[in-house]
């Protein structure tokens, strides 16, 4: 059986970094890396879920996007899918 590329590994830490970069003015991986003090290769590894960040890095990433850590990162459910889509801010 071929794995579904849309699904991740169950229980693994997932993230919305790529979606957040695009939502913040098409921010490049390099621009995000410079803003939080990491390399572009680290951003690539984060987006590909090959690397789980330290708490410090998770906080810096969340601060860069102006949101909480729980809106950037999530734990995949038993099917390997995110538990919910990227949360949006309530409209006023």
């Amino acid at each position: 059986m071929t794995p579904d590329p849309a699904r991740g590994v169950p229980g693994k830490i997932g993230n919305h970094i790529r979606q957040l970069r695009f939502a913040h003015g098409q921010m490049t991986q390099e621009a995000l890396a410079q803003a939080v003090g990491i390399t572009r290769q680290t951003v690539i590894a984060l987006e590909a879920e090959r690397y789980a960040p330290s708490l410090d890095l998770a906080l810096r990433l969340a601060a860069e996007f102006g949101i909480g850590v729980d809106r950037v990162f999530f734990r995949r459910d038993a099917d390997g899918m995110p538990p919910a889509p990227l949360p949006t801010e309530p409209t006023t």
Side-chain angles (χ1 to χ4, degrees):
M1 182 166 135
T2 305
D4 181 350
R7 294 178 187 265
V9 175
K12 190 170 189 171
I13 300 293
N15 67 73
H16 297 293
I17 295 172
R18 179 173 162 74
Q19 298 93 320
L20 288 163
R21 283 194 304 104
F22 283 95
H24 284 77
Q26 301 291 319
M27 179 186 286
T28 65
Q29 291 172 331
E30 183 64 34
L32 177 59
Q34 288 180 359
V36 298
I38 59 177
T39 66
R40 180 174 164 267
Q41 289 76 18
T42 300
V43 173
I44 291 167
L46 285 164
E47 289 182 358
E49 299 178 7
R50 292 189 317 259
Y51 172 71
S54 66
L55 178 56
D56 178 63
L57 178 53
L59 291 167
R60 285 184 291 165
L61 288 161
E64 180 62 27
F65 294 121
I67 59 177
V69 172
D70 62 327
R71 295 192 57 223
V72 180
F73 297 95
F74 57 87
R75 183 167 299 280
R76 292 197 173 277
D77 67 16
D79 292 333
M81 297 299 293
L86 177 62
T88 58
E89 290 294 324
T91 56
T92 54

